[in-house]
């Protein structure tokens, strides 16, 4: 059902999606707690870097784990409402906590303690069957699949993993995948370059608007809360778009909306402050929707053997965008509208770039590099391996209707 070539990506991925997820959760929570007792700015900064490393790592690990273990329809729900909307709820809690807790140590402690609630999830969340199969742990993978079928009231087929295919996999030489495999063919290299550019620009817009919140008219806590609230409908809209419309057109539309609105802000008279705030929030709405869609889109474009690396490389590019975003905000000291003009222009250009990506809507997840959808204009190469498991996933999606195992 999940036939694929063996995988060994970045060193930490050899330990599995679940192990990486909980190890980085522990890293984030543990170093955040130590950060509370910082005695200098230097000490605080060092631990802040470690917390950030854990946070983005567990976010990507959780996203990839969910994308690999769920069926197509539930995968989209998980990647939008399941992951992103709870991120927005956490974002909304930040200004609420900060409003009532003004001491930074107590605020950091209050924001850290909820991480302990993740501990019981170790006994609830399963490992990715795709990853287990890639490591030759077939029985564990089959047990997880059968448990999922039982939980969802589905009768699993007698033969889930074909013995002949398993024998072929056992006889094959273990193949190691590295970051260089993201540049192995012209097709995957083109997709990698386009994904990196898209993630970086979207991140500049998203974090730029988030960091610019204190510069808006009105109370800083209220504006930050509104900036978080607007993300809830943005994620709901992105879920509806992903369910019913092609990926690239949905993301391009969201980017065009966010970019054009930001460009329009400079035309608003200075006395219409409420309208300016509404336009900024509408721009945040469009860019946030695109950020949600790009996670799903990127995961669908990359094959299983390098999916974690592809999403990880793209996410790393978005971190570069988040590093650059404060400097876009600082440009407001020279011209109040200059950050919006730059972010709006880049966002519109990224929307145009999106239209050149291959469409993944309605397609099964690729398992090997040869099965990847081709960028328009590149030569076609026949896939060297079967797509049987992808077809089976389409035929038996009910087995993976829920995350409850």
């Amino acid at each position: 059902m999940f036939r694929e070539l063996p995988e060994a990506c970045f060193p930490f991925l050899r330990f599995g999606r679940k192990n990486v997820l909980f190890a980085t959760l522990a890293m984030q929570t543990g170093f955040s707690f130590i950060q509370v007792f910082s005695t200098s700015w230097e000490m605080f900064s060092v631990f802040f870097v470690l917390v950030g490393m854990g946070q983005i790592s567990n976010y990507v690990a959780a996203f990839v784990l969910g994308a690999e273990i769920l069926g197509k329809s539930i995968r989209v729900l998980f990647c939008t409402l399941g992951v992103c909307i709870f991120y927005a709820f956490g974002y909304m809690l930040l200004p609420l906590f900060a409003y009532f807790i003004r001491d930074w140590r107590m605020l950091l402690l209050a924001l850290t303690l909820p991480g302990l609630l993740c501990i019981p999830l170790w006994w609830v969340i399963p490992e990715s069957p795709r990853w287990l199969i890639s490591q030759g742990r077939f029985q564990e993978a089959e047990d997880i699949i059968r448990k999922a079928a039982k939980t969802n009231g589905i009768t699993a087929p007698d033969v889930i993993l074909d013995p002949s295919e398993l024998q072929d996999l056992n006889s094959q030489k273990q193949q190691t995948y590295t970051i260089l495999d993201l540049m192995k063919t012209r097709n995957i290299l083109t997709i990698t370059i386009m994904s990196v550019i898209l993630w970086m620009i979207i991140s500049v817009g998203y974090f730029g608007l988030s960091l610019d919140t204190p510069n808006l008219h009105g109370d800083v806590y209220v504006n930050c809360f509104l900036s978080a609230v607007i993300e809830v409908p943005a994620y709901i809209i992105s879920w509806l778009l992903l369910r019913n419309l092609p990926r690239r057109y949905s993301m391009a539309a969201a980017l065009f909306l966010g970019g054009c609105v930001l460009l329009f802000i400079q035309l608003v008279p200075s006395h219409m402050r409420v309208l300016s705030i509404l336009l900024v929030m509408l721009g945040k709405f469009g860019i946030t929707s695109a950020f949600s869609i790009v996670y799903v889109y990127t995961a669908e474009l990359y094959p299983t053997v390098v999916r974690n690396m592809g999403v990880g490389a793209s996410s790393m590019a978005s971190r570069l965008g988040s590093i650059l975003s404060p400097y876009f905000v600082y440009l407001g000291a020279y011209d109040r509208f200059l950050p919006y003009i730059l972010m709006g222009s880049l966002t519109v250009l990224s929307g145009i770039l999106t239209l050149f990506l291959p469409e993944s809507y309605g397609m099964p997840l690729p398992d090997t590099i040869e099965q990847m959808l081709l960028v328009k204009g590149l030569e076609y190469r026949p896939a060297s391996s079967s797509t049987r498991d992808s077809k089976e996933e389409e035929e038996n999606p009910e087995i993976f209707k829920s995350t409850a195992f």
Side-chain angles (χ1 to χ4, degrees):
M1 185 168 186
F2 293 101
R3 188 181 183 191
E4 61 190 41
L5 293 176
E7 179 189 58
C9 302
F10 296 131
F12 66 86
L13 294 182
R14 296 171 185 166
F15 299 102
R17 315 318 198 200
K18 179 179 177 179
N19 291 333
V20 171
L21 171 61
F22 283 92
T24 51
L25 278 171
M27 179 179 179
Q28 176 185 348
T29 303
F31 284 116
S32 292
F33 183 76
I34 297 175
Q35 197 177 17
V36 173
F37 303 97
S38 299
T39 57
S40 65
W41 168 249
E42 291 76 14
M43 180 180 176
F44 181 90
S45 299
V46 170
F47 286 120
F48 195 75
V49 170
L50 295 173
V51 170
M53 291 172 61
Q55 187 277 324
I56 191 57
S57 297
N58 64 55
Y59 192 94
V60 172
F63 176 83
V64 173
L65 175 59
E68 291 186 348
I69 206 170
L70 297 173
K72 183 176 65 175
S73 59
I74 304 300
R75 183 189 311 134
V76 172
L77 179 65
F78 167 79
C79 295
T80 50
L81 302 187
V83 174
C84 298
I85 206 165
F86 283 97
Y87 171 87
F89 289 154
Y91 190 177
M92 283 186 278
L93 289 175
L94 177 61
L96 290 177
F97 274 55
Y99 182 82
F100 292 104
I101 306 175
R102 299 304 176 95
D103 179 72
W104 71 268
R105 294 183 189 273
M106 295 305 299
L107 174 61
L108 184 57
L109 181 61
L111 296 174
T112 299
L113 290 178
L116 299 177
L117 299 176
C118 296
I119 295 176
L121 296 179
W122 173 266
W123 291 275
V124 178
I125 299 175
E127 181 56 90
S128 166
R130 290 179 180 269
W131 181 83
L132 290 171
I133 293 173
S134 73
Q135 302 299 305
R137 295 158 64 177
F138 306 116
Q139 188 58 51
E140 293 178 59
E142 185 167 334
D143 291 343
I144 289 174
I145 295 170
R146 292 194 181 280
K147 186 175 181 181
K150 182 179 179 181
T151 301
N152 290 286
I154 304 300
T155 302
D158 294 332
V159 179
I160 294 180
L161 303 173
D162 192 324
S164 61
E165 292 188 354
L166 299 184
Q167 186 176 1
D168 291 341
L169 288 174
N170 279 325
S171 63
Q172 289 176 356
K173 180 180 178 181
Q174 293 290 312
Q175 183 173 347
T176 300
Y177 290 88
T178 68
I179 190 69
L180 297 178
D181 285 286
L182 296 180
M183 301 173 280
K184 185 175 182 179
T185 65
R186 190 154 62 102
N187 185 52
I188 193 172
L189 174 61
T190 303
I191 290 177
T192 298
I193 293 174
M194 295 172 72
S195 297
V196 164
I197 294 174
L198 280 173
W199 280 64
M200 188 184 305
I201 293 176
I202 294 174
S203 183
V204 167
Y206 176 83
F207 288 102
L209 291 176
S210 298
L211 293 173
D212 192 54
T213 302
N215 297 326
L216 299 176
H217 302 287
D219 185 84
V220 62
Y221 295 99
V222 174
N223 289 337
C224 184
F225 182 77
L226 291 176
S227 181
V229 169
I230 197 64
E231 295 196 6
V232 175
Y235 294 136
I236 294 175
I237 289 296
S238 64
W239 171 60
L240 295 173
L241 290 174
L242 287 167
R243 279 193 62 186
N244 303 293
L245 296 174
R247 307 295 193 239
R248 57 179 174 180
Y249 296 128
S250 299
M251 193 164 77
L255 290 170
F256 285 141
L257 170 64
C260 292
V261 167
L262 292 180
L263 290 174
F264 185 72
I265 291 176
Q266 59 184 313
L267 304 178
V268 178
S270 58
H271 64 279
M272 302 180 67
R273 297 179 176 179
V274 175
L275 180 58
S276 297
I277 295 177
L278 289 176
L279 289 177
V280 171
M281 295 305 166
L282 187 57
K284 179 78 179 296
F285 172 89
I287 293 176
T288 300
S289 298
F291 218 152
S292 177
I293 294 171
V294 77
Y295 263 95
V296 179
Y297 197 10
T298 304
E300 291 179 346
L301 289 177
Y302 282 104
T304 302
V305 293
V306 293
R307 183 171 295 119
N308 227 336
M309 274 194 295
V311 176
S314 301
S315 182
M316 183 174 65
S318 78
R319 295 314 103 193
L320 179 58
S322 65
I323 292 173
L324 295 174
S325 58
Y327 299 99
F328 279 75
V329 176
Y330 291 155
L331 292 175
Y334 302 96
D335 187 314
R336 181 68 189 96
F337 300 108
L338 186 56
Y340 299 120
I341 294 173
L342 290 176
M343 288 187 290
S345 300
L346 289 174
T347 302
V348 171
L349 290 175
S350 65
I352 297 173
L353 179 64
T354 300
L355 298 174
F356 292 93
L357 285 169
E359 183 54 63
S360 63
Y361 178 65
M363 298 290 190
L365 287 178
D367 283 327
T368 66
I369 293 175
E370 290 77 11
Q371 293 174 4
M372 288 183 68
L373 296 167
L374 292 172
V375 177
K376 185 178 179 181
L378 295 184
E379 294 181 1
Y380 171 75
R381 285 186 177 183
S384 61
S385 60
S386 169
T387 58
R388 172 183 177 277
D389 41 313
S390 296
K391 292 179 180 178
E392 271 194 37
E393 181 181 341
E394 300 302 317
E395 294 171 1
N396 302 286
E398 296 87 355
I399 293 180
F400 295 95
K401 288 171 65 176
S402 170
T403 56
F405 285 81

